[in-house]
């Protein structure tokens, strides 16, 4: 009996080892397969927001089917106070709607191109695992819709953009936005979340030349932008439109860079990032002054606001900030904090 | 007979002067001879080589709503209420009031290009006229000819100018943009036009290199552009055509017919 028991336990041990081994043989895949086996627990429609707003943190803890519909809208908007530009947009603004889903969700995605669009458009979401990031499935003529599904396998903050030829032109006209895939454990709670996206623009006229300005292909190819902007407009996020926070609050910025050409040296004047989710991946860097955001990439930064005042967000390739528009602001209200900073007479 | 019927319909339905309409319907559309040429795509692959195009004839302008009304009058199966959904989606002739009435509120579009028509409908119209749709090569050869009656810096600039302009509330009449050296009106700047083999290139939606054709097109778009900017607007047209299906009916998409010279 004892032998039988021992034999049995040996057998169990052997089995466990072989299971472990077989798991190790395809370790990456099995984790994914397990996730894909999970039964979806209902359907939700994703909350979509225009910058600088961010959808509310997700309150569910098991994968769902998430419905997302984005409308492609070609429209004339102000790029500066007295300058207009024909933008091509995901949802009517630049950048496009912020999408928030959770790792493991099945995203049911519809792209609708408005009937009065002149051109065909599609979407490549960097959060997609599959051909063209969805572009392959979404070539959409004016007035038509296209539909595909993808599984949000990897957590992170991902750029999406139009990938219809000529791709550079579609991106240069404002066709990009961000999709956040929250890790299964969720994002740590912070006091304020904002959405900022940088992009470079190329116009026939110089910076802030008045009137409706045409796209300039030569400047785009030469990578000589007239505008480098946060959220698609000079002064989109300054003065009365500045972001706000109170002393003592932790602010998280979801920052994307649509490009098409420039890499951003993202910096907040007078603050140090307590945390940088490097390139929005899983590595966290701390105590960072300036962080790089690749074109077609993103970052998540967190900072605790200690001292009241106006803080400028810039691309620290600094001519872009002061001569091309790459400047946004956070207004921090609250009591002075002389232990941290005080101006002396 | 069908002309008389239509004129009766028009005059019966509206109290407006139809002099212009009568004039429009009483003449066969003028066709122009496009001389033989070599259509060179803006990129070259095994399946996308320069094509010799034989001389052919092309309608001098896009088919108008009034002209299309004659077609659906004579061919009931192409009326709004009767058309097979396989051949025209639900936007077919969307702006028309009903089967045989363009509509009183649409008085300004009688002489505008008919849009919201499918490839099948366009091809059927041309066949009815004993014509056919132009091929991509024919259309591009004809469309790339220089304007002769407008000031312009480059055709590409002109075309990009149209793309960036929001749609006007009412689609302008034919012959309101420019005439090219062949005598063709409005090849750019008014509408997109169906071609016979619109979907022979970029069958997938992603234009960044999933096939050899796409790869070449994608790479060529940047490099060739420096030499010849016209090709850049050509790339936009290829992307647009690549997203179409034969039954699509779209606000900016109409057609004109062509004919082989026997």
């Amino acid at each position: 009996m004892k032998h039988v028991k021992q034999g049995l336990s040996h057998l169990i041990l052997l089995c466990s080892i072989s299971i472990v081994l077989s798991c190790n043989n395809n370790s990456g895949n099995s984790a994914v397969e397990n996730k894909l086996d999970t039964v979806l627990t209902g359907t939700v429609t994703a909350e979509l927001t225009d910058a600088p707003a961010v959808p509310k943190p997700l309150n569910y803890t098991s994968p769902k089917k998430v419905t997302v519909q984005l409308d492609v809208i070609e429209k004339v908007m102000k790029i500066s106070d007295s300058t207009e530009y024909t933008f091509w947009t995901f949802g009517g603004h630049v950048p496009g709607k912020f999408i928030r889903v959770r790792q493991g969700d099945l995203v049911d995605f519809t792209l609708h191109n408005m009937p009065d669009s002149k051109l065909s458009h599609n979407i490549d979401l960097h959060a997609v695992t599959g051909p063209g990031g969805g572009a392959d499935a979404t070539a959409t003529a004016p007035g038509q819709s296209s539909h595909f599904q993808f599984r949000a396998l990897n957590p992170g903050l991902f750029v999406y953009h139009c990938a219809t030829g000529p791709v550079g032109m579609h991106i240069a006209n404002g066709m990009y936005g961000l999709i956040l895939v929250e890790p299964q454990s969720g994002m740590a709670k912070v006091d304020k979340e904002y959405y900022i996206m940088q992009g470079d623009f190329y116009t026939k006229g110089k910076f802030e030349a008045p009137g409706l300005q045409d796209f300039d292909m030569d400047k785009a190819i030469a990578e000589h932008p007239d505008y480098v902007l946060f959220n698609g407009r000079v002064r989109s996020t300054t003065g009365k439109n500045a972001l706000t926070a109170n002393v003592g609050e932790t602010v998280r910025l979801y920052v994307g860079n649509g490009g098409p050409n420039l890499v951003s040296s993202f910096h907040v004047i007078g603050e140090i990032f307590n945390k940088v989710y490097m390139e929005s991946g899983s590595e966290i860097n701390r105590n960072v002054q300036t962080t790089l955001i690749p074109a077609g990439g993103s970052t998540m930064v967190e900072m605790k606001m200690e001292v009241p005042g106006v803080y400028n967000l810039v691309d620290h390739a600094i001519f872009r900030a002061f001569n091309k528009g790459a400047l946004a602001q956070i207004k921090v209200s609250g009591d002075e904090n002389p232990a941290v900073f005080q101006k002396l007479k | 007979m069908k002309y008389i019927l239509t004129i009766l319909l028009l005059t019966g339905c509206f109290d407006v002067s139809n002099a212009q309409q009568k004039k429009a319907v009483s003449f066969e559309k003028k066709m122009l001879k496009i001389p033989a040429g070599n259509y060179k795509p803006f990129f070259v692959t095994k399946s996308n080589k320069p094509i010799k195009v034989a001389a052919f004839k092309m309608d001098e302008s896009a088919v108008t709503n009034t002209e299309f009304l004659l077609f659906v009058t004579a061919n009931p199966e192409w009326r709004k209420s009767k058309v097979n959904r396989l051949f025209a989606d639900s936007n077919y002739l969307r702006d028309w009031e009903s089967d045989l009435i363009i509509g009183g509120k649409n008085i300004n579009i009688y002489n505008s290009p008919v849009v919201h028509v499918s490839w099948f409908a366009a091809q059927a119209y041309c066949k009815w006229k004993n014509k056919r749709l132009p091929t991509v090569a024919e259309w591009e050869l004809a469309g790339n000819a220089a304007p002769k009656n407008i000031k312009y810096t480059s055709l590409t600039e002109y075309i990009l100018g149209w793309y960036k302009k929001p749609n006007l509330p009412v689609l302008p009449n034919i012959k309101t943009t420019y005439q090219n050296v062949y005598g063709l009106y409005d090849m750019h700047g008014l509408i997109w036009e169906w071609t016979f083999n619109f979907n022979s290139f970029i069958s997938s939606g992603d234009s960044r290199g999933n096939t050899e054709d796409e790869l070449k097109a994608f790479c060529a778009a940047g490099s060739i552009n420096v030499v010849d900017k016209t090709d850049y607007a050509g790339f936009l047209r290829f992307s647009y055509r690549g997203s179409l299906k034969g039954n699509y009916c779209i606000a900016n998409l109409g057609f004109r017919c062509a004919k082989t010279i026997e």
Side-chain angles (χ1 to χ4, degrees), chain A residues 232-249:
Chain A
R233 190 196 191 287
V234 181
R235 291 174 286 276
S236 68
T237 317
T238 61
K240 65 175 170 41
N241 297 319
L243 311 177
T244 57
N246 296 313
V247 169
E249 285 186 329

Side-chain angles (χ1 to χ4, degrees), chain B residues 49-146:
Chain B
K49 287 181 262 197
I51 297 169
K52 275 191 178 159
V53 180
F56 66 103
K57 287 205 267 187
M58 196 176 216
D59 285 349
E60 67 167 355
S61 61
V63 172
T64 64
N65 282 298
T66 304
E67 288 165 335
F68 204 77
L69 179 60
L70 299 178
F71 168 68
V72 298
T73 304
N75 299 277
E77 72 273 23
W78 287 107
R79 290 175 194 171
K80 261 176 98 156
S81 63
K82 301 222 171 85
V83 73
N84 188 323
R85 278 284 162 267
L86 290 174
F87 299 134
D89 72 19
S90 58
N91 288 320
Y92 182 64
L93 298 175
R94 196 182 65 183
D95 296 336
W96 287 24
E97 208 168 288
S98 64
D99 273 358
L100 296 172
I101 299 172
I102 298 170
K105 68 177 164 57
N106 295 323
I107 189 74
N108 294 323
I109 64 164
Y110 287 6
N111 214 24
S112 302
V114 63
V115 290
H116 291 121
V117 284
S118 64
W119 179 90
F120 294 102
Q123 180 68 2
Y125 176 96
C126 292
K127 204 176 166 190
W128 177 65
K129 286 281 184 189
N130 204 18
K131 302 176 187 174
R132 58 174 173 78
L133 286 171
T135 63
V136 170
E138 286 172 338
W139 197 97
E140 290 286 320
L141 190 70
N144 286 338

Side-chain angles (χ1 to χ4, degrees), chain A residues 85 94 126 159-162 166-176 197-203 215-217 219-229 256-264 293-297 320, chain B residues 218 232:
Chain A
Y85 188 78
V94 177
H126 291 179
V159 168
Y160 65 78
H161 63 89
C162 183
V167 181
M169 183 177 176
H170 284 255
I171 293 175
N173 283 340
M175 296 197 80
Y176 43 76
M197 197 151 182
Q198 183 170 326
D200 27 303
F201 292 86
Y202 305 82
T203 54
F215 169 69
D216 190 312
M217 183 66 75
K219 286 180 182 175
I221 292 170
E223 306 187 15
H224 289 154
D226 299 282
Y227 298 82
V228 181
L229 302 176
N257 183 7
N261 289 322
L262 301 187
V263 167
S264 176
I293 314 173
R320 299 174 187 171
Chain B
F218 181 55
Y232 212 85

